[in-house]
Coordinates of all heavy atoms in Angstrom, one line a residue:
M28 N -27.9 -3.2 6.5 CA -26.5 -3.0 6.0 C -26.4 -1.5 5.6 O -27.2 -1.0 4.8 CB -26.1 -3.9 4.9 CG -25.0 -3.5 4.1 SD -24.7 -4.7 2.7 CE -26.2 -5.4 2.3
P29 N -25.4 -0.8 6.0 CA -25.2 0.6 5.6 C -24.9 0.7 4.1 O -24.2 -0.1 3.5 CB -24.0 1.1 6.4 CG -23.8 0.1 7.5 CD -24.4 -1.2 7.0
T30 N -25.5 1.7 3.5 CA -25.3 1.9 2.1 C -23.9 2.1 1.7 O -23.4 1.6 0.7 CB -26.2 3.1 1.6 OG1 -27.5 2.9 1.9 CG2 -26.0 3.3 0.1
W31 N -23.2 2.9 2.5 CA -21.7 3.1 2.2 C -20.9 1.9 2.2 O -20.0 1.8 1.4 CB -21.1 4.1 3.2 CG -21.2 3.7 4.6 CD1 -22.1 4.0 5.6 CD2 -20.3 2.8 5.3 NE1 -21.9 3.4 6.8 CE2 -20.8 2.7 6.6 CE3 -19.1 2.2 4.9 CZ2 -20.1 1.9 7.6 CZ3 -18.5 1.4 5.9 CH2 -19.0 1.2 7.2
S32 N -21.2 0.9 3.0 CA -20.5 -0.4 3.1 C -20.7 -1.1 1.7 O -19.8 -1.6 1.1 CB -21.0 -1.2 4.2 OG -20.2 -2.4 4.3
S33 N -22.0 -1.3 1.3 CA -22.2 -2.0 0.1 C -21.7 -1.3 -1.1 O -21.2 -1.9 -2.1 CB -23.7 -2.3 -0.1 OG -24.5 -1.1 -0.1
E34 N -21.7 0.1 -1.2 CA -21.2 0.8 -2.3 C -19.7 0.7 -2.4 O -19.1 0.5 -3.5 CB -21.6 2.3 -2.1 CG -23.0 2.6 -2.4 CD -23.4 4.0 -2.1 OE1 -22.5 4.8 -1.6 OE2 -24.6 4.4 -2.4
F35 N -19.0 0.7 -1.3 CA -17.6 0.6 -1.3 C -17.2 -0.8 -1.7 O -16.3 -1.0 -2.5 CB -16.9 0.9 0.1 CG -15.5 0.8 0.1 CD1 -14.7 1.8 -0.2 CD2 -14.8 -0.4 0.5 CE1 -13.3 1.8 -0.3 CE2 -13.4 -0.5 0.4 CZ -12.7 0.5 0.1
D36 N -17.9 -1.8 -1.2 CA -17.6 -3.2 -1.6 C -17.8 -3.5 -3.0 O -17.0 -4.1 -3.7 CB -18.4 -4.2 -0.7 CG -18.1 -5.6 -1.0 OD1 -16.9 -6.0 -0.8 OD2 -18.9 -6.4 -1.5
D37 N -18.9 -2.9 -3.6 CA -19.2 -3.1 -5.0 C -18.1 -2.4 -5.8 O -17.6 -3.0 -6.8 CB -20.5 -2.6 -5.3 CG -20.9 -2.7 -6.8 OD1 -20.9 -3.9 -7.3 OD2 -21.2 -1.7 -7.5
W38 N -17.7 -1.2 -5.4 CA -16.6 -0.5 -6.2 C -15.4 -1.4 -6.1 O -14.7 -1.5 -7.2 CB -16.4 0.8 -5.6 CG -15.2 1.5 -6.1 CD1 -15.2 2.3 -7.3 CD2 -13.9 1.5 -5.7 NE1 -13.9 2.7 -7.5 CE2 -13.1 2.2 -6.5 CE3 -13.2 0.9 -4.6 CZ2 -11.7 2.4 -6.4 CZ3 -11.9 1.1 -4.4 CH2 -11.1 1.8 -5.3
G39 N -15.0 -1.9 -5.0 CA -13.8 -2.7 -4.9 C -13.8 -3.9 -5.7 O -12.8 -4.3 -6.4
R40 N -14.9 -4.6 -5.7 CA -15.1 -5.8 -6.6 C -14.9 -5.5 -8.0 O -14.1 -6.1 -8.7 CB -16.5 -6.5 -6.3 CG -16.7 -7.7 -7.2 CD -18.1 -8.2 -7.1 NE -19.1 -7.1 -7.4 CZ -19.4 -6.7 -8.6 NH1 -18.8 -7.1 -9.7 NH2 -20.3 -5.7 -8.8
R41 N -15.6 -4.4 -8.5 CA -15.5 -4.0 -9.9 C -14.0 -3.5 -10.2 O -13.5 -3.8 -11.3 CB -16.5 -2.9 -10.2 CG -17.9 -3.5 -10.3 CD -19.0 -2.5 -10.7 NE -19.2 -1.4 -9.6 CZ -18.9 -0.2 -9.7 NH1 -18.3 0.3 -10.8 NH2 -19.1 0.7 -8.7
A42 N -13.4 -2.8 -9.3 CA -12.0 -2.3 -9.5 C -11.1 -3.5 -9.7 O -10.2 -3.5 -10.6 CB -11.6 -1.4 -8.4
L43 N -11.2 -4.5 -8.9 CA -10.4 -5.7 -9.0 C -10.7 -6.5 -10.3 O -9.7 -6.9 -11.0 CB -10.7 -6.7 -7.8 CG -10.0 -6.2 -6.5 CD1 -10.7 -7.0 -5.3 CD2 -8.5 -6.5 -6.5
E44 N -11.9 -6.6 -10.7 CA -12.3 -7.4 -11.9 C -11.8 -6.7 -13.1 O -11.4 -7.3 -14.1 CB -13.8 -7.5 -12.0 CG -14.3 -8.6 -11.0 CD -15.9 -8.7 -11.1 OE1 -16.5 -7.8 -11.7 OE2 -16.4 -9.6 -10.4
S45 N -11.8 -5.3 -13.1 CA -11.3 -4.6 -14.2 C -9.8 -4.2 -14.2 O -9.3 -3.5 -15.0 CB -12.1 -3.3 -14.4 OG -11.8 -2.4 -13.4
R46 N -9.2 -4.7 -13.1 CA -7.8 -4.4 -12.9 C -7.4 -2.9 -12.9 O -6.5 -2.4 -13.5 CB -6.9 -5.1 -14.0 CG -6.7 -6.6 -13.7 CD -7.1 -7.4 -14.9 NE -6.9 -8.8 -14.6 CZ -7.9 -9.6 -14.1 NH1 -9.0 -9.1 -13.7 NH2 -7.7 -10.9 -13.9
D47 N -8.2 -2.2 -12.1 CA -8.0 -0.7 -12.0 C -7.1 -0.6 -10.8 O -7.5 -0.1 -9.7 CB -9.4 0.0 -11.7 CG -9.2 1.5 -11.6 OD1 -8.1 2.0 -11.8 OD2 -10.2 2.1 -11.2
W48 N -5.8 -0.9 -11.0 CA -4.8 -0.9 -9.9 C -4.6 0.6 -9.4 O -4.5 0.8 -8.2 CB -3.5 -1.4 -10.4 CG -3.5 -2.8 -11.0 CD1 -2.9 -3.1 -12.2 CD2 -4.3 -3.9 -10.6 NE1 -3.2 -4.5 -12.5 CE2 -4.1 -5.0 -11.5 CE3 -5.1 -4.2 -9.5 CZ2 -4.6 -6.2 -11.4 CZ3 -5.7 -5.5 -9.4 CH2 -5.5 -6.5 -10.3
D49 N -4.6 1.5 -10.3 CA -4.5 3.0 -9.9 C -5.6 3.4 -9.0 O -5.4 4.1 -8.0 CB -4.3 3.9 -11.1 CG -3.0 3.6 -11.9 OD1 -2.0 3.2 -11.2 OD2 -2.9 3.9 -13.1
G50 N -6.8 3.0 -9.4 CA -8.0 3.3 -8.6 C -7.9 2.7 -7.2 O -8.3 3.4 -6.2
L51 N -7.5 1.5 -7.2 CA -7.4 0.8 -5.8 C -6.4 1.5 -5.0 O -6.6 1.7 -3.8 CB -7.1 -0.6 -6.0 CG -8.2 -1.5 -6.6 CD1 -7.7 -2.9 -7.1 CD2 -9.3 -1.8 -5.5
L52 N -5.3 1.9 -5.5 CA -4.3 2.5 -4.8 C -4.7 3.9 -4.3 O -4.2 4.4 -3.2 CB -2.9 2.6 -5.6 CG -2.2 1.3 -5.9 CD1 -1.1 1.5 -6.9 CD2 -1.7 0.8 -4.6
D53 N -5.6 4.5 -5.0 CA -6.1 5.9 -4.6 C -7.5 5.8 -4.1 O -8.3 6.7 -4.3 CB -6.0 6.8 -5.8 CG -6.2 8.3 -5.4 OD1 -6.0 8.6 -4.3 OD2 -6.5 9.1 -6.3
F54 N -7.8 4.7 -3.4 CA -9.2 4.4 -3.0 C -9.8 5.5 -2.1 O -11.0 5.7 -2.1 CB -9.3 3.1 -2.3 CG -8.7 3.1 -0.8 CD1 -9.6 3.2 0.2 CD2 -7.4 2.9 -0.6 CE1 -9.1 3.2 1.5 CE2 -6.9 2.9 0.7 CZ -7.7 3.1 1.8
L55 N -9.0 6.2 -1.3 CA -9.5 7.2 -0.5 C -10.2 8.3 -1.3 O -11.1 9.0 -0.8 CB -8.5 7.8 0.4 CG -8.0 6.9 1.6 CD1 -6.8 7.6 2.3 CD2 -9.1 6.6 2.5
H56 N -9.7 8.6 -2.5 CA -10.3 9.6 -3.4 C -11.2 9.0 -4.5 O -12.1 9.7 -4.9 CB -9.1 10.4 -4.1 CG -8.3 11.1 -3.1 ND1 -7.0 10.6 -2.7 CD2 -8.5 12.2 -2.3 CE1 -6.5 11.4 -1.8 NE2 -7.4 12.4 -1.5
K57 N -11.0 7.8 -4.9 CA -11.7 7.2 -6.0 C -13.0 6.5 -5.6 O -14.0 6.4 -6.3 CB -10.8 6.3 -6.8 CG -9.6 7.0 -7.3 CD -9.8 7.7 -8.6 CE -8.4 8.3 -9.0 NZ -8.4 8.6 -10.4
A58 N -12.9 5.8 -4.5 CA -14.1 4.9 -4.1 C -15.2 5.7 -3.4 O -14.9 6.6 -2.7 CB -13.5 3.9 -3.1
P59 N -16.4 5.3 -3.7 CA -17.5 5.9 -2.9 C -17.3 5.6 -1.4 O -17.1 4.4 -1.1 CB -18.7 5.3 -3.5 CG -18.3 4.0 -4.1 CD -16.9 4.2 -4.6
A60 N -17.4 6.5 -0.6 CA -17.3 6.3 0.9 C -16.0 5.8 1.3 O -15.9 5.1 2.3 CB -18.5 5.5 1.4
G61 N -14.9 6.0 0.5 CA -13.6 5.4 0.8 C -13.1 5.8 2.2 O -12.7 5.0 3.0
R62 N -13.2 7.1 2.5 CA -12.8 7.5 3.8 C -13.7 7.1 4.9 O -13.2 6.9 6.1 CB -12.7 9.1 3.8 CG -11.5 9.6 3.0 CD -11.3 11.1 3.2 NE -10.3 11.6 2.3 CZ -9.1 11.6 2.5 NH1 -8.6 11.0 3.6 NH2 -8.2 12.1 1.7
Y63 N -14.9 6.8 4.6 CA -15.8 6.4 5.7 C -15.6 4.8 5.9 O -15.6 4.4 7.0 CB -17.3 6.7 5.3 CG -18.2 6.6 6.4 CD1 -18.2 7.6 7.4 CD2 -19.1 5.5 6.5 CE1 -19.1 7.5 8.5 CE2 -20.0 5.4 7.6 CZ -20.0 6.4 8.6 OH -20.8 6.3 9.6
A64 N -15.4 4.1 4.8 CA -15.2 2.7 4.9 C -13.9 2.4 5.6 O -13.8 1.4 6.3 CB -15.3 2.0 3.5
H65 N -12.9 3.2 5.3 CA -11.6 3.0 5.8 C -11.0 4.3 6.3 O -10.1 4.9 5.7 CB -10.7 2.4 4.8 CG -11.0 1.0 4.4 ND1 -10.7 -0.1 5.2 CD2 -11.7 0.5 3.4 CE1 -11.1 -1.2 4.7 NE2 -11.8 -0.9 3.6
P66 N -11.4 4.8 7.5 CA -10.9 6.0 8.0 C -9.4 5.9 8.3 O -8.7 6.9 8.3 CB -11.7 6.3 9.3 CG -12.4 5.0 9.6 CD -12.5 4.2 8.3
R67 N -9.0 4.7 8.6 CA -7.5 4.4 8.7 C -7.3 3.3 7.8 O -8.1 2.4 7.6 CB -7.2 4.0 10.2 CG -7.4 5.2 11.1 CD -7.3 4.9 12.6 NE -6.4 3.8 12.8 CZ -6.2 3.2 14.1 NH1 -7.0 3.7 15.0 NH2 -5.4 2.3 14.3
T68 N -6.1 3.3 7.1 CA -5.9 2.4 6.0 C -5.4 1.0 6.3 O -5.2 0.2 5.5 CB -5.0 3.0 5.0 OG1 -3.7 3.3 5.6 CG2 -5.5 4.3 4.4
E69 N -5.1 0.7 7.6 CA -4.5 -0.6 7.9 C -5.3 -1.8 7.5 O -4.8 -2.9 7.3 CB -4.1 -0.7 9.4 CG -5.2 -0.7 10.4 CD -5.6 0.6 10.9 OE1 -5.2 1.7 10.3 OE2 -6.3 0.7 11.9
H70 N -6.6 -1.7 7.4 CA -7.4 -2.9 7.0 C -7.5 -3.0 5.4 O -7.8 -4.1 4.9 CB -8.8 -2.8 7.5 CG -8.9 -3.0 9.0 ND1 -9.6 -2.1 9.8 CD2 -8.4 -3.9 9.8 CE1 -9.4 -2.5 11.0 NE2 -8.7 -3.6 11.0
F71 N -7.1 -2.0 4.7 CA -7.1 -2.0 3.3 C -5.7 -2.3 2.7 O -5.5 -2.8 1.6 CB -7.7 -0.8 2.7 CG -8.2 -0.9 1.3 CD1 -9.4 -1.7 1.0 CD2 -7.7 -0.2 0.2 CE1 -9.8 -1.9 -0.3 CE2 -8.2 -0.4 -1.1 CZ -9.3 -1.2 -1.3
A72 N -4.7 -1.9 3.5 CA -3.3 -2.0 3.1 C -2.8 -3.4 2.8 O -2.0 -3.6 1.9 CB -2.4 -1.4 4.2
P73 N -3.3 -4.5 3.4 CA -2.8 -5.8 3.0 C -3.1 -6.1 1.5 O -2.4 -6.9 0.9 CB -3.6 -6.8 3.9 CG -3.8 -6.0 5.1 CD -4.1 -4.5 4.6
L74 N -4.1 -5.5 0.9 CA -4.4 -5.7 -0.5 C -3.2 -5.3 -1.3 O -2.8 -5.9 -2.2 CB -5.6 -4.9 -0.9 CG -5.9 -4.9 -2.4 CD1 -6.2 -6.4 -2.9 CD2 -7.1 -4.0 -2.7
F75 N -2.5 -4.1 -0.9 CA -1.4 -3.6 -1.6 C -0.2 -4.5 -1.5 O 0.6 -4.7 -2.4 CB -1.1 -2.2 -1.2 CG -2.3 -1.3 -1.2 CD1 -2.5 -0.4 -0.2 CD2 -3.1 -1.3 -2.3 CE1 -3.6 0.5 -0.2 CE2 -4.2 -0.4 -2.3 CZ -4.4 0.5 -1.3
V76 N 0.0 -5.2 -0.3 CA 1.1 -6.1 -0.2 C 0.8 -7.4 -1.1 O 1.8 -7.8 -1.8 CB 1.1 -6.6 1.3 CG1 2.2 -7.7 1.5 CG2 1.5 -5.4 2.2
A77 N -0.4 -7.8 -1.1 CA -0.7 -9.0 -2.0 C -0.5 -8.6 -3.5 O 0.0 -9.4 -4.3 CB -2.1 -9.4 -1.8
M78 N -0.9 -7.4 -3.9 CA -0.8 -6.9 -5.2 C 0.7 -6.8 -5.6 O 1.1 -7.2 -6.7 CB -1.4 -5.5 -5.4 CG -2.9 -5.5 -5.4 SD -3.7 -3.9 -5.4 CE -3.0 -3.1 -6.8
G79 N 1.5 -6.4 -4.6 CA 3.0 -6.3 -4.9 C 3.6 -7.6 -5.1 O 4.4 -7.8 -5.9
A80 N 3.2 -8.6 -4.2 CA 3.7 -9.9 -4.4 C 3.2 -10.6 -5.7 O 4.1 -11.2 -6.4 CB 3.2 -10.8 -3.2
A81 N 2.0 -10.3 -6.1 CA 1.5 -10.8 -7.4 C 2.3 -10.2 -8.6 O 2.6 -10.8 -9.5 CB 0.0 -10.6 -7.5
E82 N 2.6 -8.9 -8.5 CA 3.3 -8.2 -9.5 C 4.8 -8.8 -9.6 O 5.3 -9.0 -10.7 CB 3.4 -6.7 -9.2 CG 4.3 -5.9 -10.2 CD 3.7 -5.9 -11.6 OE1 2.5 -6.2 -11.9 OE2 4.5 -5.6 -12.5
A83 N 5.4 -9.0 -8.5 CA 6.7 -9.6 -8.5 C 6.8 -11.0 -9.1 O 7.7 -11.4 -9.7 CB 7.3 -9.6 -7.0
G84 N 5.7 -11.7 -8.9 CA 5.6 -13.0 -9.5 C 5.0 -13.0 -11.0 O 4.8 -14.1 -11.5
G85 N 4.8 -11.8 -11.5 CA 4.3 -11.8 -12.9 C 2.9 -12.2 -13.0 O 2.4 -12.5 -14.1
E86 N 2.1 -12.2 -12.0 CA 0.7 -12.7 -12.0 C -0.3 -11.5 -11.9 O -1.5 -11.8 -12.1 CB 0.5 -13.6 -10.8 CG 1.4 -14.8 -10.8 CD 1.3 -15.5 -9.4 OE1 0.7 -15.0 -8.5 OE2 1.9 -16.6 -9.4
L87 N 0.1 -10.3 -11.7 CA -0.9 -9.3 -11.5 C -1.9 -9.0 -12.7 O -3.1 -8.8 -12.5 CB -0.2 -8.0 -11.1 CG -1.1 -6.9 -10.5 CD1 -1.8 -7.4 -9.2 CD2 -0.4 -5.7 -10.1
D88 N -1.3 -9.0 -13.9 CA -2.2 -8.7 -15.0 C -2.7 -9.9 -15.8 O -3.3 -9.7 -16.8 CB -1.4 -7.8 -16.0 CG -1.3 -6.4 -15.4 OD1 -2.3 -5.9 -14.8 OD2 -0.2 -5.7 -15.5
A89 N -2.4 -11.1 -15.3 CA -2.9 -12.3 -16.0 C -4.4 -12.4 -15.7 O -4.8 -12.2 -14.6 CB -2.2 -13.5 -15.5
R90 N -5.2 -12.5 -16.8 CA -6.6 -12.5 -16.7 C -7.2 -13.5 -15.6 O -8.1 -13.2 -14.9 CB -7.2 -12.8 -18.0 CG -8.7 -12.9 -18.1 CD -9.5 -11.6 -17.6 NE -9.2 -10.4 -18.3 CZ -9.6 -9.2 -18.0 NH1 -10.2 -9.1 -16.8 NH2 -9.3 -8.1 -18.6
E91 N -6.6 -14.7 -15.6 CA -7.1 -15.7 -14.6 C -6.5 -15.6 -13.3 O -6.8 -16.3 -12.4 CB -6.8 -17.1 -15.2 CG -5.3 -17.4 -15.3 CD -4.6 -16.8 -16.5 OE1 -5.2 -16.3 -17.4 OE2 -3.3 -16.9 -16.5
S92 N -5.6 -14.5 -13.0 CA -4.9 -14.5 -11.8 C -5.7 -13.8 -10.6 O -5.2 -13.8 -9.5 CB -3.6 -13.8 -12.0 OG -3.8 -12.4 -12.2
V93 N -6.8 -13.1 -10.9 CA -7.5 -12.4 -9.8 C -8.9 -13.1 -9.6 O -9.7 -13.2 -10.5 CB -7.7 -10.9 -10.1 CG1 -8.4 -10.2 -9.0 CG2 -6.4 -10.3 -10.4
N94 N -9.1 -13.5 -8.4 CA -10.4 -14.0 -8.0 C -10.9 -13.1 -6.9 O -10.6 -13.2 -5.7 CB -10.3 -15.4 -7.5 CG -11.7 -16.0 -7.2 OD1 -12.7 -15.3 -7.1 ND2 -11.7 -17.3 -6.9
P95 N -11.8 -12.1 -7.3 CA -12.2 -11.1 -6.3 C -13.2 -11.6 -5.3 O -13.7 -10.8 -4.5 CB -12.7 -10.0 -7.1 CG -13.2 -10.7 -8.4 CD -12.3 -11.8 -8.6
S96 N -13.6 -12.8 -5.3 CA -14.7 -13.3 -4.5 C -14.4 -14.6 -3.7 O -15.2 -15.5 -3.6 CB -16.0 -13.5 -5.3 OG -16.4 -12.3 -5.8
V97 N -13.1 -14.7 -3.3 CA -12.8 -15.9 -2.5 C -13.6 -15.9 -1.2 O -14.2 -17.0 -0.9 CB -11.3 -15.9 -2.1 CG1 -10.9 -17.1 -1.2 CG2 -10.5 -16.0 -3.4
I98 N -13.7 -14.8 -0.5 CA -14.6 -14.7 0.6 C -15.3 -13.3 0.4 O -14.6 -12.3 0.1 CB -13.8 -14.6 1.9 CG1 -13.1 -16.0 2.2 CG2 -14.8 -14.3 3.1 CD1 -12.2 -15.9 3.4
D99 N -16.6 -13.3 0.5 CA -17.3 -12.0 0.4 C -18.5 -12.1 1.2 O -18.9 -13.1 1.8 CB -17.6 -11.6 -1.1 CG -18.5 -12.6 -1.8 OD1 -19.0 -13.6 -1.1 OD2 -18.7 -12.4 -3.0
G100 N -19.2 -11.0 1.3 CA -20.4 -10.9 2.1 C -20.3 -9.8 3.1 O -19.4 -8.9 3.0
F101 N -21.2 -9.8 4.1 CA -21.2 -8.7 5.1 C -21.4 -9.4 6.5 O -22.0 -10.4 6.6 CB -22.4 -7.8 4.8 CG -22.3 -7.1 3.5 CD1 -22.7 -7.7 2.3 CD2 -21.6 -5.9 3.4 CE1 -22.5 -7.0 1.1 CE2 -21.5 -5.2 2.3 CZ -21.9 -5.8 1.1
W102 N -20.8 -8.7 7.4 CA -20.9 -9.2 8.8 C -21.1 -7.9 9.7 O -20.3 -7.0 9.6 CB -19.6 -9.9 9.2 CG -19.6 -10.4 10.6 CD1 -20.3 -11.5 11.1 CD2 -18.8 -9.9 11.7 NE1 -20.0 -11.6 12.4 CE2 -19.1 -10.7 12.8 CE3 -17.9 -8.8 11.8 CZ2 -18.5 -10.4 14.1 CZ3 -17.4 -8.6 13.1 CH2 -17.6 -9.4 14.1
M103 N -22.2 -7.9 10.4 CA -22.6 -6.8 11.2 C -22.6 -5.5 10.4 O -22.2 -4.4 10.9 CB -21.7 -6.7 12.4 CG -21.9 -7.9 13.3 SD -20.8 -7.8 14.8 CE -21.4 -6.4 15.6
G104 N -23.0 -5.5 9.1 CA -23.1 -4.4 8.3 C -21.8 -4.0 7.6 O -21.8 -3.1 6.8
M105 N -20.7 -4.7 7.9 CA -19.5 -4.3 7.3 C -19.1 -5.3 6.2 O -19.3 -6.5 6.4 CB -18.3 -4.4 8.4 CG -18.6 -3.5 9.6 SD -18.7 -1.8 9.0 CE -17.3 -1.2 9.9
A106 N -18.6 -4.9 5.1 CA -18.2 -5.7 4.0 C -17.0 -6.5 4.4 O -16.1 -6.0 5.0 CB -18.0 -4.9 2.7
K107 N -17.0 -7.7 3.9 CA -15.7 -8.5 4.1 C -15.5 -9.1 2.7 O -16.3 -9.7 2.1 CB -15.9 -9.6 5.1 CG -17.0 -10.6 4.9 CD -17.1 -11.6 5.9 CE -18.2 -12.6 5.6 NZ -18.2 -13.7 6.4
R108 N -14.3 -9.0 2.2 CA -13.9 -9.5 0.9 C -12.4 -9.9 1.0 O -11.6 -9.2 1.4 CB -14.1 -8.4 -0.2 CG -13.7 -9.0 -1.6 CD -14.1 -8.1 -2.7 NE -15.6 -7.8 -2.7 CZ -16.5 -8.7 -3.2 NH1 -16.0 -9.8 -3.7 NH2 -17.7 -8.4 -3.1
S109 N -12.2 -11.1 0.5 CA -10.8 -11.7 0.5 C -10.6 -12.0 -1.0 O -11.4 -12.6 -1.7 CB -10.7 -12.9 1.3 OG -9.4 -13.5 1.2
V110 N -9.4 -11.6 -1.5 CA -9.1 -11.9 -2.9 C -7.9 -12.8 -2.9 O -7.1 -12.9 -2.0 CB -8.8 -10.6 -3.7 CG1 -9.9 -9.7 -3.7 CG2 -7.6 -9.8 -3.1
Q111 N -7.7 -13.4 -4.1 CA -6.6 -14.3 -4.3 C -6.0 -14.0 -5.7 O -6.7 -13.9 -6.7 CB -7.1 -15.8 -4.3 CG -6.0 -16.8 -4.6 CD -6.6 -18.2 -4.5 OE1 -7.6 -18.4 -3.9 NE2 -5.9 -19.1 -5.0
F112 N -4.7 -13.8 -5.7 CA -3.9 -13.6 -6.9 C -3.1 -14.9 -7.2 O -2.6 -15.5 -6.3 CB -2.9 -12.4 -6.7 CG -3.6 -11.1 -6.5 CD1 -3.7 -10.6 -5.2 CD2 -4.0 -10.3 -7.5 CE1 -4.2 -9.4 -4.9 CE2 -4.6 -9.1 -7.3 CZ -4.7 -8.7 -6.0
G113 N -3.0 -15.2 -8.5 CA -2.2 -16.4 -8.9 C -2.9 -17.7 -8.8 O -4.0 -17.9 -8.4

């Protein structure tokens, strides 16, 4: 597994757990290997849609509302992570 993939995934998991919404939104600059992990943002953008829906429902900052490990792991060296809000 490439180091950049595991570093980016670990950063993303920790950012979700700590509710670092600003860091997630600025992932290209804040995350290790952000530009390498996501040279184009369309695979990371659905997280922002889900975050917006959770915010509209008042669930974004509730401690029990974020499960950063619904689906996680690696496939062919690429990190896969699915989160659930609410």
Side-chain angles (χ1 to χ4, degrees):
M28 157 182 30
T30 302
W31 59 263
S32 183
S33 61
E34 288 175 354
F35 182 86
D36 183 62
D37 181 60
W38 173 86
R40 179 189 53 75
R41 288 184 290 113
L43 285 163
E44 287 175 349
S45 67
R46 280 127 179 89
D47 182 7
W48 310 135
D49 291 333
L51 287 164
L52 291 169
D53 194 20
F54 76 96
L55 289 175
H56 298 104
K57 305 274 181 162
R62 290 189 185 276
Y63 197 72
H65 291 281
R67 295 174 29 191
T68 60
E69 68 266 14
H70 290 130
F71 204 65
L74 173 63
F75 306 138
V76 174
M78 287 170 60
E82 175 65 19
E86 301 169 349
L87 193 60
D88 287 322
R90 178 56 62 191
E91 66 281 351
S92 71
V93 181
N94 183 350
S96 297
V97 175
I98 297 172
D99 63 5
F101 296 87
W102 181 70
M103 296 180 60
M105 304 297 245
K107 59 179 181 171
R108 181 168 300 280
S109 176
V110 301
Q111 179 177 341
F112 297 98

